[in-house]
């Protein structure tokens, strides 16, 4: 009887352990890399975008990527996540230019069609606040109401008084489309670790 109880407990412990390992594998699974040709509507330039896509579970996805030669120079990196809504992955990612020395942070909305993996983007530079009495008010943003600038200050830009205008563009699949449905065979190596 004791041996039978011990074997039942051992099997239960093994099943629980295996169940926990399967759950962690299903939490996020790398689906592959995708390459797009991006087109900036305002500048009229094309560029390459590469991103790794992972499925977190259900309809939730994460994306991490790069723009090796970003418009304006340098390399940009981004990361974020999204949800599959009516056949479109809608994601919000944050982006920074590697060569900007911490002076640029951007927020981008991606819309990727599930069937074709083509899509669009909308990119904005958030407004940032500069403290009053700062003699170096040379922001692209205009955070203060008219008349509250230090005497003698000249605005660099009055065109975008609430920050830079959003950049819009398209993404055209130029590489292989990732399979958005993870397969059990791709999970097996992780289960065996």
């Amino acid at each position: 009887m004791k041996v039978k109880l011990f074997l039942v407990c051992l099997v239960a412990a093994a099943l629980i352990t295996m169940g926990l390992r399967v759950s962690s594998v299903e939490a996020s699974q790398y689906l592959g890399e995708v390459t797009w040709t991006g087109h900036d509507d305002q500048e009229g330039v094309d560029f390459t975008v590469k991103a790794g896509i992972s499925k977190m579970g259900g309809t939730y996805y994460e994306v991490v990527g790069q723009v090796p030669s970003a418009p304006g120079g340098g390399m940009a990196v981004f990361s974020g996540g999204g949800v599959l809504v009516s056949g479109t992955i809608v994601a919000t990612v944050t982006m920074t230019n590697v060569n900007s020395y911490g002076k640029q942070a951007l927020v981008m909305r991606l819309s990727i069609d599930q069937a074709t993996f083509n899509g669009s983007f909308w990119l904005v530079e958030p407004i940032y606040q500069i403290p009053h009495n700062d003699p170096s008010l040379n922001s692209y943003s205009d955070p203060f109401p008219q008349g509250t600038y230090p005497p003698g200050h000249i605005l660099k830009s009055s065109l975008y008084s609430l920050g830079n205008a959003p950049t819009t563009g398209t993404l055209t699949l130029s590489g292989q489309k990732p399979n958005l449905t993870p397969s059990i065979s791709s999970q097996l190596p992780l289960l065996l670790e």
Side-chain angles (χ1 to χ4, degrees), residues 41-62:
D41 291 341
Q42 284 75 17
E43 300 292 326
V45 296
D46 292 339
F47 50 93
T48 299
V49 179
K50 294 181 179 185
I53 307 288
S54 297
K55 184 168 185 174
M56 298 181 65
T59 59
Y60 303 103
Y61 293 87
E62 57 189 354

Side-chain angles (χ1 to χ4, degrees), residues 50-187:
K50 294 181 179 185
I53 307 288
S54 297
K55 184 168 185 174
M56 298 181 65
T59 59
Y60 303 103
Y61 293 87
E62 57 189 354
V63 58
V64 177
Q66 62 177 305
V67 182
S69 297
M75 174 185 184
V77 295
F78 60 91
S79 67
V83 177
L84 182 63
V85 179
S86 300
T88 301
I89 298 174
V90 179
T92 302
V93 300
T94 55
M95 175 184 276
T96 189
N97 191 306
V98 173
N99 301 328
S100 69
Y101 306 106
K103 296 180 183 176
Q104 185 182 35
L106 306 166
V107 177
M108 181 167 51
R109 178 185 192 265
L110 297 171
S111 296
I112 307 298
D113 182 86
Q114 180 184 18
T116 64
F117 237 67
N118 293 325
S120 62
F121 66 89
W122 189 87
L123 180 70
V124 67
E125 182 176 4
I127 299 171
Y128 48 92
Q129 183 72 24
I130 301 173
H132 279 288
N133 301 323
D134 185 342
S136 63
L137 289 173
N138 58 5
S139 165
Y140 288 106
S141 302
D142 184 1
F144 301 121
Q146 192 63 28
T148 61
Y149 291 92
H153 179 73
I154 299 172
L155 293 176
K156 288 178 97 176
S157 170
S158 59
L159 179 59
Y160 305 123
S161 62
L162 295 176
N164 293 328
T167 299
T168 60
T170 57
L171 297 170
T172 305
L173 184 66
S174 57
Q176 194 169 355
K177 178 184 159 196
N179 181 4
L180 294 182
T181 307
S183 66
I184 188 66
S185 63
S186 63
Q187 292 178 359

